[in-house]
Amino acid sequence: MRSYLPAYELKAPRDLSEALALMAREPGAWRPFAGGTDLMVLLEAGKLAHRRFLSLWHLEELRGIEERPEHVTLGALTTYTEVQRNTLLQREFPLLCRAASETGGIATQNRGTLGGNIANASPAADSPPALLIYDAELELVSAGGARWVPYQGFHTGYKTMFFRPDELIRRIRLPRTKTGWKQYYRKVGTRRAQAISKVCFAGAAQLEGDRIQDIRIALASVAPTVLRCVKTESALRGRRVDSDAIRTVQKELSGEIAPIDDFRSTARYRLRIAQNLLAEFLMRLVSDGAAVS
């Protein structure tokens, strides 16, 4: 059953200041509407419970990709298509570009935004594992000011986040610290296009000789939030990659993730796939050294 459109209200504020003022005046009453790729699905299905939205699509303050020596900053309205086409992101943040290419079809990539994907807070989202690998930070802004927070820990539970009802995401900052790291990304779904992930894996590692000096591992669709696997990372630092190390960290990974049975997959399948992807990532580190899979 489709939603009844006259029951909804959509305002288009002139600028970011007006949008924030409206959100401050009635905290929680007005919610941001960016690309709309998730909200319109709910609207079409008659399941969009909230009724009052602020259209942010035309706000230039939320757009643009800015390069600095220490980091790259992306406006929250940066689309997946813009991510894929940016040569700097292709060179230094290939996992994010790969995730953008795996998100929906062309129409979704042209309209869907990085900030919207974060704020939707889906544990199965494609870009958040890459953001965790790159130690991303978020700028949260309200009428009262702005603050930067680490993306790791921003999602506090299923569809819950570490920000106030009068705040929205303005920018995403990516430190330029992973140059030279070997990187890997895989999304496993029912089909290769326009499918929600059963498991999504992102990894990056810095080697010193035949040992892992530093490493990042992140997964989606295996917990109530997109997850950085810090215990598994700790078990790998300083180790050579061999069959014993792989078996050990596969067991460690099984204690960090909490997959569930749902209509897309089973918990048992998700666990096995996550362990297999971890093994494939580690084996590639010491074989061909390929960058993004």
Side-chain angles (χ1 to χ4, degrees):
M1 178 179 176
R2 293 184 178 183
S3 300
Y4 180 59
L5 282 178
Y8 293 87
E9 187 174 0
L10 180 68
K11 283 191 176 183
R14 293 186 300 272
D15 53 30
L16 181 59
S17 294
E18 183 180 348
L20 296 176
L22 286 167
M23 294 176 69
R25 193 175 304 141
E26 300 177 83
W30 295 96
R31 292 187 183 176
F33 189 107
T37 55
D38 290 295
L39 295 179
M40 291 303 293
V41 172
L42 295 175
L43 179 74
E44 179 71 14
K47 296 179 180 180
L48 186 57
H50 198 79
R51 299 302 175 99
R52 303 169 76 190
F53 294 92
L54 296 177
S55 175
L56 308 179
W57 184 252
H58 61 291
L59 300 184
E60 291 300 320
E61 299 102 316
L62 303 181
R63 295 194 176 277
I65 299 175
E66 182 181 6
E67 177 184 356
R68 293 290 178 88
E70 302 83 11
H71 56 257
V72 175
T73 304
L74 299 86
L77 290 181
T78 301
T79 66
Y80 302 118
T81 297
E82 290 168 334
V83 168
Q84 293 177 71
R85 290 177 177 174
N86 186 276
T87 55
L88 173 61
L89 297 179
Q90 292 170 10
R91 184 171 65 251
E92 295 191 27
F93 303 96
L95 301 181
L96 186 59
C97 294
R98 176 63 180 271
S101 72
E102 296 271 8
T103 302
I106 299 299
T108 297
Q109 292 171 18
N110 286 342
R111 183 80 185 188
T113 67
L114 196 56
N117 197 222
I118 295 169
N120 187 51
S122 169
D126 298 325
S127 61
L131 296 176
L132 287 175
I133 295 298
Y134 294 131
D135 301 314
E137 301 167 293
L138 307 179
E139 185 185 27
L140 307 181
V141 62
S142 69
R147 59 186 176 126
W148 287 94
V149 300
Y151 178 55
Q152 185 176 345
F154 177 70
H155 297 296
T156 57
Y158 179 73
K159 293 286 186 177
T160 59
M161 291 159 282
F162 181 65
F163 70 167
R164 301 187 303 266
D166 64 335
E167 288 183 310
L168 56 79
I169 301 168
R170 178 160 64 182
R171 293 185 291 177
I172 300 101
R173 185 162 65 193
L174 304 176
R176 302 174 75 176
T177 56
K178 299 297 183 292
T179 302
W181 287 44
K182 296 181 179 181
Q183 304 183 31
Y184 170 92
Y185 183 96
R186 280 288 301 275
K187 173 180 176 178
V188 176
T190 303
R191 55 181 186 265
R192 291 191 58 83
Q194 299 194 65
I196 299 174
S197 64
K198 295 183 178 183
V199 176
C200 183
F201 184 105
Q206 184 181 41
L207 300 182
E208 187 173 332
D210 61 350
R211 293 182 182 271
I212 296 174
Q213 182 178 8
D214 202 358
I215 191 166
R216 299 285 188 277
I217 296 167
L219 289 103
S221 282
V222 296
T225 67
V226 177
L227 185 68
R228 169 112 175 259
C229 300
V230 294
K231 292 181 181 179
T232 304
E233 293 171 0
S234 180
L236 282 163
R237 289 191 182 94
R239 294 196 64 162
R240 290 189 179 93
V241 178
D242 55 29
S243 57
D244 287 338
I246 291 173
R247 283 194 294 269
T248 298
V249 296
Q250 282 181 318
K251 291 179 182 177
E252 189 72 53
L253 182 68
S254 69
E256 279 203 272
I257 64 178
I260 62 170
D261 295 327
D262 63 14
F263 67 94
R264 288 196 305 276
S265 191
T266 65
R268 182 180 178 183
Y269 177 84
R270 286 187 165 109
L271 173 59
R272 177 61 63 86
I273 291 300
Q275 291 175 322
N276 288 348
L277 294 177
L278 174 61
E280 183 176 84
F281 166 50
L282 295 174
M283 287 187 291
R284 290 194 177 202
L285 291 179
V286 294
S287 56
D288 57 12
V292 182
S293 172

Tab-separated table of all heavy atoms in Angstrom, residues 9 56 116 211 225 231 274 282:
chain	number	residue	atom	x	y	z
A	9	GLU	N	4.955	16.513	4.710
A	9	GLU	CA	5.368	17.895	4.486
A	9	GLU	C	6.863	17.918	4.184
A	9	GLU	O	7.671	17.342	4.918
A	9	GLU	CB	5.078	18.745	5.722
A	9	GLU	CG	5.327	20.233	5.510
A	9	GLU	CD	4.903	21.077	6.701
A	9	GLU	OE1	4.405	20.494	7.687
A	9	GLU	OE2	5.079	22.304	6.638
A	56	LEU	N	17.549	18.830	1.587
A	56	LEU	CA	18.901	19.395	1.629
A	56	LEU	C	19.595	19.365	0.271
A	56	LEU	O	20.708	19.876	0.138
A	56	LEU	CB	19.751	18.597	2.637
A	56	LEU	CG	19.183	18.408	4.038
A	56	LEU	CD1	20.162	17.577	4.877
A	56	LEU	CD2	18.916	19.749	4.701
A	116	GLY	N	23.916	10.606	3.557
A	116	GLY	CA	22.652	9.911	3.702
A	116	GLY	C	22.838	8.441	4.025
A	116	GLY	O	22.087	7.867	4.824
A	211	ARG	N	55.720	-9.552	7.965
A	211	ARG	CA	54.849	-9.408	9.130
A	211	ARG	C	53.875	-8.247	8.956
A	211	ARG	O	54.180	-7.267	8.271
A	211	ARG	CB	55.674	-9.177	10.405
A	211	ARG	CG	56.517	-10.381	10.809
A	211	ARG	CD	57.261	-10.106	12.099
A	211	ARG	NE	58.098	-11.246	12.465
A	211	ARG	CZ	57.689	-12.275	13.211
A	211	ARG	NH1	56.445	-12.277	13.684
A	211	ARG	NH2	58.500	-13.272	13.493
A	225	THR	N	25.344	-3.055	14.020
A	225	THR	CA	25.936	-1.907	13.341
A	225	THR	C	27.050	-2.400	12.438
A	225	THR	O	27.527	-3.535	12.581
A	225	THR	CB	26.534	-0.907	14.354
A	225	THR	OG1	27.664	-1.521	15.001
A	225	THR	CG2	25.512	-0.499	15.411
A	231	LYS	N	39.572	-6.623	17.902
A	231	LYS	CA	40.231	-7.767	18.534
A	231	LYS	C	40.938	-8.631	17.498
A	231	LYS	O	42.048	-9.129	17.731
A	231	LYS	CB	39.211	-8.594	19.323
A	231	LYS	CG	38.644	-7.884	20.546
A	231	LYS	CD	37.651	-8.773	21.284
A	231	LYS	CE	37.075	-8.059	22.496
A	231	LYS	NZ	36.080	-8.899	23.218
A	274	ALA	N	32.242	-14.555	6.219
A	274	ALA	CA	33.123	-13.559	6.838
A	274	ALA	C	34.495	-14.157	7.116
A	274	ALA	O	35.536	-13.523	6.867
A	274	ALA	CB	32.490	-13.034	8.127
A	282	LEU	N	43.916	-12.022	3.842
A	282	LEU	CA	45.239	-12.266	4.403
A	282	LEU	C	46.145	-12.994	3.411
A	282	LEU	O	47.337	-12.672	3.288
A	282	LEU	CB	45.117	-13.068	5.696
A	282	LEU	CG	44.409	-12.346	6.851
A	282	LEU	CD1	44.220	-13.288	8.027
A	282	LEU	CD2	45.168	-11.096	7.265
